[in-house]
Amino acid sequence: MRNSNLPGFRQWLGVVMLMCASVSAHAIGTTTNTPVSNRASISYSVGGVAQTPIDSSPTGNTIPGAGADTTFYVDTKVDVNVDEQGAVLIQTAAGVTAAVTTFRVYNNSNASFDFQLTATDLDSGATWPAGNDTTPTATEALTSVTAYWDVNGNGTYEPGTDNITHINSLAVDDGSLSTYATVFVVASIPGGYADGEIALVDLSATARTDDAAATLGGALTETAGAGTLDNTGGTVADVVFADAVTTYDAAARDATDTDRGGYEIVSAQISIQKTVANYWWHIDGLGNASVANPQSIPGAYVRYTITVSNDVAATGSATLTTISDTLVATLAIDPDLVASGTGAASNAAGDGFSVTYTTATARTGAGVASYYTTTSSADGLDHDGSATGGNITATMTTLLPADAGNGYVAGELKPGDSVTIIFNAIIQ
Amino acid sequence: MNITRNIYLLALMFIVSVNTAHAGSIEIKIEVKKVEVTTVYGEKKVREVEAKTVVPGDELLYTIYFKNVDRVPVDNIEITDPVPKATIYKDGSAFGSGTDITFSVDGGKTYARADDLTVTNEKGETRRAQAADYTDIKWIFRPKLAPGKTGTASFRAIVK
């Protein structure tokens, strides 16, 4: 076919697509620089007499025993996959300085590489589907966005340890998704964000030369033209960029892949209420008979109720840590949390506290009162032992235990949840 | 002096002829090419090029040329070739005009037609062999090969 009518013909040969293999595109690839050799053998007869077989060679061989391999060397194929972990917006709050989204980077090449990491805060108008949620839209800019490699591979962002902003020497994944580098995109959320606002981020990973050092290796260059015949055992392989277009990566064949994640601003609305009421009095000489309308006189009991709630209209959970309360010196803690009327301990002698939590969603132990010893320091709720007055300390992560099956971490109050602490005090 | 020189030359020829194997009647050559698909103005063009840049997933074309370099016909020609390591034989690609083609799954000990090949695992379960199991290919060239003539046999393989 004559090409003289197409002066620009040669330029259009630029788009080279490699034939797709019949094997899985993710099967482990033969390592770069591997020689692939072939030698055939021919047996034959002349005049009915079998002759000595002859081996082939690349140029043609006629001499038995003098065959030679026809060899080529496998070159370097570069491919990478970035995969956001979790597929849902990370709930965070305005003013958080290290809000973390997590990604995995897979090296789908046939050689190990360093990877350059780029985290980008996306402008308003970017979208990210999160499972079955409606597509959110980025509305504001984040004040800082940085990608960090999870150096010790423990899946948790540790600012002191995970402070390298590229990946060193990532080995090839064989298609089983078991070899990867974890990357954290860490963002600072401006204080002005309102509840429900969303910020999206992209993470790009670009394959770079593995320089076998802590530094990021140099850029890779795709071999132009036909490449080099290196049948003599050359160590410099040709390079082919084989990455394809993906959902958030519009450019194929640039040794780069990109994926997207994001944050949603939520806030808890916590309120604490402490009430005290005259509860009961026990007057010596009257046995344990209760008296109606208990008065605030020495010897009488008052009951304190502390309730911490996360408003049902809040958009996020609160994680409670510690609640402290101080009794005035005119009060003494009732060590037994007596019940009015009987004067007997509500649960057992020495159990001065009860805790009950109610929840809007299922939670193990909800609605059931738990009792805590007045003075033990191991059960999460203590009085400091002062004869009068004294401090009460409640360790909420112990009193509200984790319930992974129902999606609760220790100390968590979801919107609509509340926890109540009850104790008695005796008027001195 | 002439006699000494002639004896010396005779001795030299003797040494040379002892070290030189006798050339056979066939010259056999294997070439490997890479299959390249390009898109030009939206049209796919397929061609074979030198195997310079080859990466996993690429398709290779191996061609065996066997030429009768003798002055008499050659017959009973059989060619065997292992499937190259780091490649997988492309099903149905073996070709050779005038040849009967069989395959081996046991490293060349036995050959059979593709439909008759089976593979047995450690548990003793047998299944039909697939292209990925083939270890060697055999071409039996039925005609005689006349002096000066060249026959060809070929197959394709995918780089792992």
Side-chain angles (χ1 to χ4, degrees), chain A residues 127-392:
Chain A
T127 59
W128 185 48
N132 294 323
D133 295 351
T134 55
T135 305
T137 307
T139 54
E140 285 189 42
L142 301 167
T143 50
S144 86
V145 175
T146 313
Y148 294 100
W149 173 36
D150 181 18
V151 174
N152 59 5
N154 67 356
T156 303
Y157 173 57
E158 295 155 316
T161 312
D162 302 323
N163 52 12
I164 298 178
T165 54
H166 64 271
I167 301 172
N168 278 323
S169 198
L170 179 58
V172 172
D173 178 64
D174 63 357
S176 65
L177 301 183
S178 56
T179 304
Y180 53 84
T182 299
V183 174
F184 306 109
V185 171
V186 181
S188 183
I189 316 287
Y193 267 80
D195 253 20
E197 294 210 87
I198 285 162
L200 300 180
V201 293
D202 272 354
L203 174 67
S204 295
T206 302
R208 306 266 289 208
T209 305
D210 181 353
D211 62 355
T215 47
L216 174 62
L220 296 169
T221 312
E222 193 170 30
T223 303
T228 327
L229 258 177
D230 44 5
N231 291 355
T232 52
T235 54
V236 181
D238 300 324
V239 177
V240 174
F241 292 169
D243 60 288
V245 168
T246 61
T247 314
Y248 298 105
D249 180 34
R253 312 213 43 189
D254 59 353
T256 303
D257 189 37
T258 304
D259 203 5
R260 184 164 297 178
Y263 306 96
E264 180 185 19
I265 307 309
V266 296
S267 62
Q269 291 172 32
I270 294 293
S271 59
I272 294 188
Q273 184 185 54
K274 177 175 168 184
T275 61
V276 61
N278 292 332
Y279 185 63
W280 181 62
W281 60 5
H282 161 67
I283 299 176
D284 288 336
L286 293 179
N288 284 328
S290 63
V291 179
N293 302 321
Q295 302 296 317
S296 296
I297 58 170
Y301 287 76
V302 293
R303 172 157 284 192
Y304 281 92
T305 305
I306 299 176
T307 303
V308 184
S309 308
N310 188 5
D311 192 272
V312 67
T315 53
S317 292
T319 305
L320 306 181
T321 50
T322 310
I323 294 175
S324 302
D325 194 26
T326 304
L327 287 180
V328 295
T330 53
L331 294 171
I333 188 92
D334 164 16
D336 302 325
L337 189 62
V338 302
S340 71
T342 64
S346 297
N347 192 48
D351 285 352
F353 299 102
S354 86
V355 175
T356 310
Y357 47 88
T358 60
T359 57
T361 58
R363 185 176 195 167
T364 307
V368 176
S370 298
Y371 294 89
Y372 296 84
T373 58
T374 317
T375 54
S376 161
S377 63
D379 65 358
L381 189 41
D382 316 317
H383 178 260
D384 66 2
S386 308
T388 59
N391 286 323
I392 294 168

Side-chain angles (χ1 to χ4, degrees), chain A residues 1 6 8-9 12-13 15-23 28-30 34 36-48 51 54-64 70-77 110 223 225-230 238-240, chain B residues 21-32 34-41 44-47 50-60 62 64 66 69-70 72-90 155 158-160:
Chain A
M1 174 177 132
L6 300 163
F9 181 79
W12 289 93
L13 278 172
V15 181
V16 174
M17 284 159 38
L18 304 173
M19 280 280 278
C20 283
S22 56
V23 297
I28 189 168
T30 310
T34 300
V36 179
S37 300
N38 192 241
R39 191 187 306 196
S41 178
I42 189 164
S43 63
Y44 65 101
S45 302
V46 173
Q51 305 294 303
I54 304 172
D55 283 355
S56 67
S57 78
T59 50
N61 177 44
T62 59
I63 300 173
T70 298
T71 302
F72 69 88
Y73 283 75
V74 176
D75 293 301
T76 303
K77 170 180 158 185
N110 64 343
T223 303
T228 327
L229 258 177
D230 44 5
D238 300 324
V239 177
V240 174
Chain B
H22 206 44
S25 308
I26 293 195
E27 179 190 82
I28 175 170
K29 169 166 82 164
I30 288 191
E31 283 182 358
V32 60
K34 182 186 84 170
V35 176
E36 183 186 82
V37 181
T38 53
T39 305
V40 181
Y41 290 113
K44 260 195 188 175
K45 291 190 179 288
V46 179
R47 56 181 190 151
E50 271 192 280
K52 283 181 171 175
T53 303
V54 183
V55 293
D58 282 349
E59 178 177 314
L60 305 162
Y62 280 90
I64 303 164
F66 49 102
V69 296
D70 207 337
V72 291
V74 158
D75 60 6
N76 287 338
I77 292 173
E78 280 188 19
I79 301 155
T80 57
D81 196 12
V83 176
K85 290 210 184 352
T87 72
I88 294 183
Y89 168 72
K90 184 178 178 185
F155 68 96
I158 312 292
V159 179
K160 286 193 207 174

